[in-house]
Amino acid sequence: MKKILYFVTFLFTLNTVIANDIIVENPIIRLMPLSTKMTAGYFELSNKSENEETLIGAKSNSFKSIEIHESKKNGDVMQMLRRNSVSIKSKSDVNFIPMGLHLMLMNPIKQIDENQEISITLIFESGKNLDINFLVKKMDEMKMTEMDMENDSQCSDMDMDGMKMGNM
């Protein structure tokens, strides 16, 4: 009985969601200042199936809207572009990371706190929906190596489809 209890406890502590050959690992939302109306969701998405999967959206009761975005450098300016979908080839991975693909979480319904779990449903073209619990973390705890968010210099000029962001 103790072994079963330990195993169940172990399963609850995993930061991985597996469903229908689609695996989501390390789902994290960046903690932002209270006055900020946007934040981002990051995670690792693996397709273990024999078929390509296409992520076409996401939804949550915690945000008024969620979009798939991709940050790209264009000269000295970072651009944040909305994506309609992201394809995940068979037996491959796609990482949603700072300065790359991410979920843009807009207009939180209520205050977001550090270490809060927020449910987000990932929507796939195949009709699959994955309910994922994202954990809200400060950026320095997220261990993202793609950029230095403490300095924020890489985010100083973001152009969201022509809309300047300034410091994030």
Side-chain angles (χ1 to χ4, degrees):
M1 184 66 178
K2 278 187 176 181
K3 286 183 181 180
I4 293 172
L5 183 59
Y6 287 130
F7 180 71
V8 170
T9 303
F10 171 74
L11 287 178
F12 281 114
T13 61
L14 286 178
N15 205 9
T16 302
V17 176
I18 303 171
N20 300 325
D21 298 322
I22 299 173
I23 301 172
V24 175
E25 295 183 286
N26 302 315
I28 297 173
I29 293 173
R30 180 181 181 196
L31 180 65
M32 298 295 284
L34 294 177
S35 62
T36 305
K37 300 288 185 200
M38 291 186 273
T39 188
Y42 307 110
F43 54 98
E44 300 156 20
L45 186 59
S46 298
N47 179 6
K48 303 298 181 189
S49 77
E50 299 295 328
N51 303 311
E52 183 174 301
E53 289 285 347
T54 303
L55 178 67
I56 60 170
K59 63 183 179 179
S60 174
N61 291 332
S62 297
F63 297 93
K64 288 186 180 175
S65 64
I66 300 177
E67 297 176 353
I68 302 168
H69 281 204
E70 184 173 19
S71 297
K72 288 188 175 186
K73 192 165 188 165
N74 184 3
D76 290 336
V77 176
M78 289 300 299
Q79 292 181 319
M80 194 179 314
L81 307 170
R82 183 176 180 185
R83 299 269 310 258
N84 292 325
S85 64
V86 174
S87 295
I88 308 101
K89 294 183 189 220
S90 172
K91 309 288 184 196
S92 69
D93 305 322
V94 174
N95 292 321
F96 285 67
I97 59 173
M99 305 310 289
L101 288 168
H102 58 278
L103 295 180
M104 182 57 53
L105 312 169
M106 296 175 282
N107 299 309
I109 304 298
K110 58 184 179 179
Q111 180 178 325
I112 296 172
D113 297 314
E114 186 174 8
N115 296 318
Q116 179 180 349
E117 282 195 1
I118 294 177
S119 179
I120 295 176
T121 301
L122 301 180
I123 304 165
F124 293 86
E125 190 174 65
S126 64
K128 295 177 187 173
N129 289 337
L130 277 179
D131 294 324
I132 311 297
N133 286 326
F134 282 69
L135 185 62
V136 178
K137 287 288 188 189
K138 288 182 182 175
M139 197 65 184
D140 58 337
E141 295 178 26
M142 292 174 55
K143 300 178 184 166
M144 299 290 189
T145 59
E146 294 297 316
M147 64 184 286
D148 177 8
M149 292 298 284
E150 294 233 339
N151 181 359
D152 262 359
S153 63
Q154 293 177 336
C155 288
S156 62
D157 285 319
M158 305 240 9
D159 181 358
M160 286 184 49
D161 290 331
M163 182 172 66
K164 288 280 187 183
M165 289 297 295
N167 287 335
M168 285 180 67

